[in-house]
Amino acid sequence: MRKIALIVTFGIILVSCKNDKKADEKLVEKTELSKVDNSKPTGINWDEITELKGIGDFPFVVIPTELKIKNVKDGFSNLFEFETLANYTKNGVILTTGKLGVLHFEDEKGSPYNQNLFESTFYNYFEKIGATELYKSTLPEISSENEVELNKLNENAKIGDVEFNYYNHGNYPTAVYVFKNNGKKYIANIQSNASEGNAFIMEISEK
């Protein structure tokens, strides 16, 4: 009887150990899943983006007289009917294509460039009209984990006469907003430092 009791007890312990092992495996599996990198670009869910009304015409922003657009022509520093724009977001780099207006600001005769005024003008405008913010911060330090992704910014750094090379120039403030207006989709990419500011505003192509 004592032998049988020992065998039964041993059997229960084995079953218990197997169950514990399965539970541990599930826990490890769950933990590993939670480590999966979800930072890759997933695009923009335009169904969740607000359709804005009464905000005027492209490029929308009213520029204060204290800020002077460099080489301004028809309201832009540069205007491209079709270009590619690299946009850094919390989910990675998103490339968009379409009609692109570039507003470039730096010191002009009798009108010094003011980084704080530039940032407050564009940040406040897009926040006030209710545009959706995709990113607003400095860019992360480049590392072996994000190098490939962040190099997309440098690969698309030169647009017309304006070049904003993120990592050769340093980690400067960047903000990205999206919105819809009159059935069209828009993205605004605002970049600044102490000596210049650039606003890239794109009407995204449906092609």
Side-chain angles (χ1 to χ4, degrees):
M1 288 293 291
R2 194 172 173 185
K3 266 187 176 179
I4 294 171
L6 284 171
I7 292 169
V8 170
T9 303
F10 184 66
I12 291 170
I13 291 170
L14 281 176
V15 171
S16 177
C17 287
K18 285 182 180 178
N19 288 338
D20 288 343
K21 188 177 179 182
K22 286 182 180 178
D24 288 342
E25 286 174 352
K26 286 183 179 179
L27 181 61
V28 170
E29 183 181 0
K30 187 176 181 181
T31 303
E32 291 303 316
L33 284 173
S34 69
K35 291 180 182 177
V36 171
D37 183 10
N38 292 315
S39 64
K40 302 303 180 188
T42 56
I44 302 166
N45 185 352
W46 288 99
D47 292 336
E48 296 179 355
I49 305 304
T50 306
E51 174 80 28
L52 304 179
K53 305 289 184 183
I55 61 172
D57 300 318
F58 181 76
F60 308 106
V61 186
V62 177
I63 308 300
T65 55
E66 297 89 344
L67 284 174
K68 300 296 182 184
I69 302 174
K70 186 79 172 176
N71 300 325
V72 62
K73 182 181 179 182
D74 298 326
F76 301 92
S77 298
N78 299 89
L79 181 62
F80 304 94
E81 288 304 316
F82 193 83
E83 255 298 349
T84 298
L85 182 63
N87 307 280
Y88 187 83
T89 75
K90 286 173 280 191
N91 292 322
V93 176
I94 296 174
L95 299 179
T96 53
T97 55
K99 181 179 179 180
L100 178 65
V102 181
L103 305 177
H104 176 62
F105 301 84
E106 59 183 62
D107 287 345
E108 285 281 271
K109 291 179 181 178
S111 182
Y113 166 74
N114 184 309
Q115 182 179 5
N116 290 333
L117 179 58
F118 170 84
E119 290 175 0
S120 64
T121 295
F122 285 91
Y123 295 171
N124 291 346
Y125 174 79
F126 288 110
E127 289 164 11
K128 184 177 179 180
I129 66 173
T132 300
E133 179 187 297
L134 297 185
Y135 190 79
K136 185 182 177 185
S137 185
T138 54
L139 295 171
E141 294 289 339
I142 195 164
S143 68
S144 58
E145 293 181 356
N146 63 23
E147 184 176 9
V148 173
E149 187 68 16
L150 292 179
N151 274 341
K152 294 177 185 177
L153 298 176
N154 284 339
E155 290 167 5
N156 294 274
K158 188 171 177 61
I159 300 176
D161 297 328
V162 178
E163 183 171 2
F164 197 93
N165 191 315
Y166 295 80
Y167 290 107
N168 288 346
H169 290 74
N171 295 331
Y172 298 122
T174 297
V176 178
Y177 301 90
V178 291
F179 58 97
K180 294 186 290 191
N181 177 249
N182 291 331
K184 296 179 180 179
K185 301 169 184 175
Y186 295 90
I187 190 164
N189 189 323
I190 314 303
Q191 306 166 4
S192 58
N193 60 40
S195 61
E196 65 176 334
N198 293 298
F200 301 94
I201 304 174
M202 174 174 280
E203 180 182 293
I204 296 175
S205 173
E206 295 294 337
K207 295 178 182 178

